[in-house]
Amino acid sequence: MKSTFIIYRFDPAVDSEGHYQEYSLETAPTDKILDCLNRIRWEQDPTLAYRFSCAHGICGSDAMMINGRIELACQKLIRDFKTANNFVIEPLPLFNVVKDLVVDMNPFFEKHRHVRPYLISDLDEPERERLQEAENQRFFEPALRCILCASCTAACPISRANPDYLGPAALLRSFRYIFDSRDTATGSRLAQIDTDDGVWGCKTMWWCTDVCPKGIPVTKCLGQIKRLVREKQKTES
Amino acid sequence: MNHQYDVVIVGAGLAGLRAAIELGEDTRTAIISKVFATRSHSGAAQGGIGAALGNEEEDHWKWHMFDTVKGSDYLADQDAVEILTKDAPRTIYELEHMGVPFNRTEEGRIAQRAFGGHTSNFGKAAIKRACFAADRTGRVILDTLWEKCLQRGIDFFNEYQIMNLTVRDGRCCGVTAYELASGTLHHFHSKAVLLATGGAGKIFRTSSNAFASTGDGMAIAFRAGAALEDMEFVQFHPTGIYKLGILISEAVRGEGGILRNSEGERFMERYAPTIKDLAPRDMVSRCILREIRDGKGIDGKDYVFLDLTHLGEEVISSKLAEISGFARTYAGVDVTKEPIPVQPTCHYMMGGIATDTDGRVMVDNQDHTISGLYAAGECACVSVHGANRLGCNSLLDVLVYGRRAGRSIRRYIHTIGLPPLSGDDPTAETAAQIAALMESTGRERSGAIRSEMQKIMMDDVSVFRRGETLVKVMEKLRLLKERCGQISIQDKGRCFNRDLLDALEVGYMLDLAEAITLGALNRDESRGAHFREDCPDRDDEHWLVHSLFCYAGPKAAPQFLTKSVKITDFEPKERKY
Ligand SMILES: Cc1cc2nc3c(=O)[nH]c(=O)nc-3n(C[C@H](O)[C@H](O)[C@H](O)COP(=O)(O)OP(=O)(O)OC[C@H]3O[C@@H](n4cnc5c(N)ncnc54)[C@H](O)[C@@H]3O)c2cc1C
Ligand code: SF4
Ligand code: FES
């Protein structure tokens, strides 16, 4: 089958603004979109830039817009699209374009770092493992599926409107540590994000949940944080 | 641009990150990675990490050691395996203390499951030894260690690709790296360099490895004088998704999954009566291909079925969720209702840069080293995996030996100052290589050469090998290397120029492919993952030795040496399961 790919191009060395370029390619229903990009690059245009590595939805490199929706290029096959012979491929929204489909993810990782994404415990370490209830583990398990692809944050309308909003991915990491029974910094973690740029920035728009390629109920997890903040306020007052 | 550090670590997979943590806060450390740190292929590890914790049933590190040695077909160095298996429980507790969210037992301890080749009581029965976090074990350990490094404020140079080591008077004092976003060369001047650049699975057409797994560190060190060890031992994992090579972890069989041929028969029962589907990978891969050769592939094609329909939704959703997602997305299979079509896929390099148990890089079989140069993780060969690695032992290896390399570097850098660099620009050599490529008017494209190499290696140097074919492969690789000299770069830009990087990477892979093939040719016996149809028996009299490969210039095949195997506790025996 012949498919047409209309791909966003921007080369900072020569372009003042982006433009679209059309490629046409013989495709099979089981080809991943990433395979198609690779073949365009190998066979037609070696200057096309995009990120990729694992090719099976686990490293988080290749989130991009495919036909107006944020997807991982390696996790979508030609057969997944009704318009199987016409694709528009664009970089993730929200972030600045470095070249073609490559965006500057530094702001995304800065926010990640901001939520102190590591276990904080003021208890002594036992000789063996700390005990943890399987039930507790299951509670924050969805957050462990996150591959930091930034799809959710790029899709979030609040993130687009307010550059200071932490965004769903960083807050999801917060959720992971807040609800981990081994972490003892819950209080200060909650205080840190009990702000309009923190968890209250979330207006439950569900876009993050909708685009997450790992099927994480992001909005629901942020909802759990909000509930905990409210409960804490209640017990304190 | 020039940078100065005490230590430069190349690679942000588990080996590199673990070493960085060990170096401590008072060591100025830079981590360089060609993909953003969390994109490292360690994140793809699914099944688990082995340690004799005994949380589910009685276990001892000595049993783990025995399994590892037997799994290696007696080629592993037993002193190194002892370190590995003895240190395993401490390694797991340490990960847990850092925050790794392992699955738990009902008592709240770290849960464990069965994995291929791991047994109780020196081979009596399969044992639950693999610690895991669902089927995303690598992902969560990678996240945890990366975040620990962020907490420490370690400097990351993400999307920087190293191209050369700076070696002066037998001493390594830095690296030259290319910044992907700007095309700028950077020199990192340091007291020590640790290579933790991972595997090279992209040498073969069907592979579970990432696009970034092109063996850069191995090839760069090799060209700089380091010896490569045991390169002919390449692991083919039995269960990659048909045609795609995407891994379906052994955890599936650990949880009770069964391999079946076209007759629906559980064929592993015939080959390994004691542990059946949980036999080591080299054996299971050969068995699958034998079934296919006997006409028992599904629909007469080159795959068999991996059946987990009987495991139940609860086990699948709590322990095998990612895998069922892969099967659904890529093979259109609902694993609760249908079996997954699978075939062997290139998975892991048992060989790599020859190191001692402190990560020091060797140049020959006389214990000579390049001072200041260290290697750990999949790019290194200690050797703990010998001729065949057991599942769950790589994550363990990268962490145990990543830490040990970090520790020995820490000792080393306190004894010396920053080595002087003479007036010449240390990036000059790399700049010249890039300029030559950019200006080349040759007619070759790296993509075509890479595809040919991958096809040749898959057809003739994978699970089954033959002497006469290997001779021809050596010749074909030589021709491909010559064609490599004629590659021209179409992308003339400086920003994310993959065309240039592809060209360099295919050169690295060809050097390694040549070593793999030469080793396979010289070793006229069968051991572990190396199987010669024309010499199907193990030959301990001649080949109970490691292979070593030394660089002999761009136009010559590597020099081949051997090195004795360290045997402490377990004398070689016939390997039956
Ligand atoms: C699909 C899959 C599943 C697996 N499952 C398991 C399992 O369940 N249990 C187990 O024990 N093992 C498993 N393994 C094996 C194990 O995951 C790997 O062997 C191990 O993670 C390798 O770690 P590493 O740190 O050596 O390298 P990697 O994690 O591969 O990291 C390599 C690093 O080097 C960097 N790099 C490479 N070249 C350059 C360069 N030129 N310049 C700069 N940086 C460079 C990369 O950017 C990356 O950061 C699995 C492997 C695969 C492929
Ligand atoms: S929550 Fe989902 S969409 Fe957001 S970064 Fe993680 S994996 Fe990507
Ligand atoms: S390439 Fe790794 S997620 Fe797509």
Side-chain angles (χ1 to χ4, degrees):
Chain A
M1 177 178 50
K2 251 223 167 15
S3 299
T4 307
F5 291 82
I6 299 168
I7 304 181
Y8 181 89
R9 303 298 312 266
F10 172 74
D11 180 350
V14 291
D15 299 328
S16 54
E17 58 188 71
H19 57 99
Y20 289 84
Q21 192 167 345
E22 195 173 311
Y23 302 91
S24 104
L25 198 68
E26 225 17 78
T27 58
T30 51
D31 286 345
K32 303 171 199 161
I33 301 301
L34 178 62
D35 297 333
C36 300
L37 294 176
N38 284 339
R39 281 185 34 226
I40 291 173
R41 185 164 60 81
W42 291 331
E43 296 162 14
Q44 302 181 26
D45 187 350
T47 67
L48 182 64
Y50 49 95
R51 290 194 179 97
F52 58 97
S53 188
C54 73
H56 65 286
I58 199 68
C59 77
S61 296
D62 60 345
M64 56 184 73
M65 298 271 277
I66 303 175
N67 291 351
R69 220 189 112 85
I70 298 174
E71 312 274 9
L72 294 179
C74 65
Q75 201 173 277
K76 282 286 155 189
L77 315 189
I78 295 279
R79 68 168 177 228
D80 297 335
F81 296 87
K82 287 200 189 72
T83 54
N85 41 18
N86 235 325
F87 295 92
V88 180
I89 317 269
E90 297 162 298
L92 272 186
L94 186 69
F95 303 107
N96 292 331
V97 175
V98 177
K99 186 184 175 196
D100 301 339
L101 304 172
V102 175
V103 296
D104 176 10
M105 302 266 283
N106 285 328
F108 176 77
F109 288 112
E110 265 317 306
K111 288 182 173 158
H112 184 88
R113 193 195 277 258
H114 185 74
V115 301
R116 296 182 294 162
Y118 34 81
L119 193 84
I120 302 175
S121 170
D122 49 24
L123 304 175
D124 287 339
E125 281 168 4
E127 207 162 293
R128 295 179 56 185
E129 74 265 51
R130 300 186 191 86
L131 299 183
Q132 182 171 38
E133 284 175 22
E135 199 51 49
N136 173 245
Q137 256 255 319
R138 276 194 282 276
F139 189 81
F140 65 86
E141 185 271 347
L144 302 175
R145 284 181 243 156
C146 177
I147 57 172
L148 298 174
C149 69
S151 297
C152 52
T153 299
C156 172
I158 314 294
S159 293
R160 293 189 206 179
N162 173 11
D164 294 329
Y165 174 44
L166 278 174
L171 288 166
L172 183 73
R173 202 52 141 226
S174 240
F175 165 87
R176 179 245 174 278
Y177 285 104
I178 288 169
F179 287 95
D180 188 327
S181 58
R182 299 169 299 174
D183 190 280
T184 57
T186 315
S188 70
R189 287 187 191 280
L190 289 177
Q192 190 193 8
I193 56 173
D194 181 9
T195 65
D196 288 342
D197 293 337
V199 72
W200 301 112
C202 170
K203 299 288 183 271
T204 335
M205 315 283 266
W206 297 96
W207 291 31
C208 50
T209 306
D210 188 46
V211 297
C212 175
K214 303 305 283 184
I216 303 171
V218 187
T219 317
K220 211 174 119 195
C221 294
L222 303 202
Q224 301 285 4
I225 305 180
K226 292 178 191 167
R227 232 177 63 189
L228 196 62
V229 174
R230 278 201 211 95
E231 273 170 22
K232 213 179 113 222
Q233 284 164 348
K234 249 191 228 150
T235 51
E236 276 166 12
S237 67
Chain B
M1 221 164 123
N2 293 316
H3 310 259
Q4 278 188 356
Y5 282 91
D6 292 327
V7 182
V8 167
I9 295 178
V10 187
L14 295 185
L17 296 176
R18 183 62 193 84
I21 291 168
E22 198 62 21
L23 285 170
E25 287 171 71
D26 52 343
T27 306
R28 283 176 34 78
T29 305
I31 301 183
I32 301 176
S33 175
K34 70 176 182 179
V35 296
F36 186 86
T38 64
R39 320 299 188 209
S40 300
H41 208 50
S42 286
Q46 303 170 355
I49 168 166
L53 301 185
N55 281 359
E56 306 265 0
E57 52 189 312
E58 182 186 355
D59 200 359
H60 302 283
W61 68 262
K62 200 99 195 195
W63 294 354
H64 188 184
M65 176 178 171
F66 170 78
D67 291 337
T68 304
V69 171
K70 182 176 170 189
S72 82
D73 221 346
Y74 296 90
L75 192 68
D77 287 321
Q78 297 187 13
D79 56 341
V81 179
E82 176 169 339
I83 292 173
L84 179 84
T85 51
K86 241 188 201 167
D87 199 31
R90 192 202 54 75
T91 302
I92 300 294
Y93 298 143
E94 171 186 277
L95 290 174
E96 196 283 327
H97 295 161
M98 284 189 211
V100 172
F102 286 113
N103 276 40
R104 299 291 172 148
T105 64
E106 284 317 312
E107 301 79 56
R109 297 221 164 270
I110 292 172
Q112 298 185 278
R113 65 178 162 207
F115 238 77
H118 290 276
T119 70
S120 59
N121 219 345
F122 309 105
K124 292 291 181 307
I127 195 172
K128 292 183 176 173
R129 185 177 287 146
C131 310
F132 60 98
D135 50 356
R136 53 184 84 91
T137 312
R139 173 87 256 154
V140 298
I141 303 178
L142 183 69
D143 285 345
T144 306
L145 295 193
W146 172 64
E147 293 175 340
K148 188 91 197 157
C149 290
L150 291 183
Q151 183 184 13
R152 289 276 182 87
I154 291 169
D155 291 348
F156 279 90
F157 293 84
N158 287 306
E159 299 184 323
Y160 279 55
Q161 182 149 344
I162 73 144
M163 295 185 173
N164 278 302
L165 297 171
T166 312
V167 181
R168 299 277 191 274
D169 306 322
R171 186 166 170 194
C172 182
C173 48
V175 300
T176 299
Y178 175 91
E179 183 184 359
L180 268 66
S182 66
T184 323
L185 287 178
H186 294 253
H187 189 260
F188 292 81
H189 184 190
S190 62
K191 295 181 184 175
V193 171
L194 171 69
L195 294 172
T197 50
K202 278 291 163 188
I203 292 173
F204 293 83
R205 192 185 48 214
T206 307
S207 172
S208 69
N209 281 200
F211 279 99
S213 304
T214 50
D216 308 8
M218 294 183 205
I220 290 170
F222 179 52
R223 292 174 187 177
L228 298 177
E229 182 171 337
D230 292 343
M231 293 301 287
E232 63 271 38
F233 299 103
V234 178
Q235 179 161 82
F236 284 77
H237 193 293
T239 59
I241 296 180
Y242 178 49
K243 282 191 180 160
L244 295 168
I246 295 172
L247 190 76
I248 299 296
S249 170
E250 212 165 73
V252 168
R253 282 170 286 137
E255 298 289 354
I258 292 171
L259 287 163
R260 296 188 191 281
N261 60 21
S262 60
E263 294 166 2
E265 184 204 8
R266 181 179 195 181
F267 57 86
M268 282 310 300
E269 248 165 7
R270 252 189 288 127
Y271 297 99
T274 314
I275 56 176
K276 307 183 179 87
D277 297 272
L278 286 174
R281 293 173 179 174
D282 55 334
M283 294 179 73
V284 181
S285 285
R286 281 193 292 274
C287 297
I288 291 176
L289 294 179
R290 289 208 172 102
E291 292 297 300
I292 290 169
R293 282 185 180 182
D294 291 347
K296 292 184 194 163
I298 309 298
D299 295 335
K301 295 209 184 101
D302 53 344
Y303 65 92
V304 296
F305 276 148
L306 176 57
D307 184 2
L308 44 157
T309 52
H310 53 289
L311 297 185
E313 297 214 13
E314 161 60 22
V315 168
I316 290 174
S317 69
S318 67
K319 295 179 175 170
L320 304 170
E322 295 285 337
I323 288 159
S324 36
F326 299 151
R328 190 181 336 108
T329 306
Y330 301 107
V333 164
D334 173 355
V335 297
T336 62
K337 300 200 177 73
E338 311 153 83
I340 313 172
V342 293
Q343 69 184 165
T345 181
C346 175
H347 186 57
Y348 181 83
M349 297 289 143
M350 269 71 76
I353 304 165
T355 65
D356 66 7
T357 52
D358 282 323
R360 277 187 291 253
V361 170
M362 304 298 184
V363 298
D364 55 22
N365 52 6
Q366 311 289 317
D367 288 349
H368 292 120
T369 61
I370 300 178
S371 53
L373 184 61
Y374 296 76
E378 191 172 336
C379 72
C381 179
V382 181
S383 132
V384 289
H385 309 301
N388 173 63
R389 167 174 81 83
L390 290 192
C392 288
N393 269 355
S394 175
L395 291 184
L396 184 60
D397 168 19
V398 303
L399 291 163
V400 167
Y401 283 97
R403 170 170 174 270
R404 287 179 71 88
R407 219 174 48 169
S408 77
I409 292 172
R410 202 178 149 76
R411 265 185 254 126
Y412 172 76
I413 58 171
H414 285 300
T415 64
I416 58 155
L418 197 64
L421 266 183
S422 50
D424 58 330
D425 174 7
T427 65
E429 185 194 346
T430 313
Q433 282 166 353
I434 293 177
L437 260 171
M438 293 299 279
E439 285 153 24
S440 160
T441 53
R443 292 173 155 270
E444 294 288 350
R445 301 285 284 269
S446 60
I449 297 176
R450 186 183 50 234
S451 308
E452 275 184 53
M453 170 195 69
Q454 289 173 331
K455 180 168 186 327
I456 294 167
M457 294 302 284
M458 196 71 200
D459 289 350
D460 295 330
V461 200
S462 57
V463 178
F464 293 114
R465 300 160 171 180
R466 274 185 174 280
E468 69 219 42
T469 327
L470 294 169
V471 173
K472 289 188 198 132
V473 171
M474 284 303 282
E475 187 49 39
K476 289 181 193 166
L477 291 174
R478 188 114 299 276
L479 290 174
L480 285 180
K481 282 179 97 168
E482 276 167 27
R483 283 174 54 193
C484 235
Q486 296 303 314
I487 292 178
S488 62
I489 307 298
Q490 315 294 306
D491 185 350
K492 301 295 177 197
R494 294 172 62 83
C495 178
F496 277 87
N497 188 336
R498 274 253 45 112
D499 200 18
L500 172 67
L501 301 177
D502 280 351
L504 289 164
E505 288 171 358
V506 75
Y508 300 147
M509 289 192 284
L510 277 169
D511 276 6
L512 302 179
E514 201 174 25
I516 292 170
T517 310
L518 179 67
L521 176 61
N522 288 355
R523 189 177 279 274
D524 47 7
E525 64 152 358
S526 290
R527 183 185 298 273
H530 167 66
F531 193 88
R532 283 274 299 264
E533 291 183 282
D534 49 343
C535 347
D537 297 320
R538 195 173 82 192
D539 175 3
D540 286 340
E541 195 189 326
H542 298 99
W543 286 110
L544 187 57
V545 286
H546 296 291
S547 308
L548 285 188
F549 306 84
C550 300
Y551 190 62
K555 295 209 157 59
Q559 188 196 358
F560 183 85
L561 305 168
T562 60
K563 189 173 89 172
S564 60
V565 174
K566 296 201 186 80
I567 295 172
T568 57
D569 289 51
F570 303 108
E571 282 304 319
K573 280 204 207 123
E574 193 193 353
R575 188 162 160 256
K576 268 198 196 143
Y577 287 91

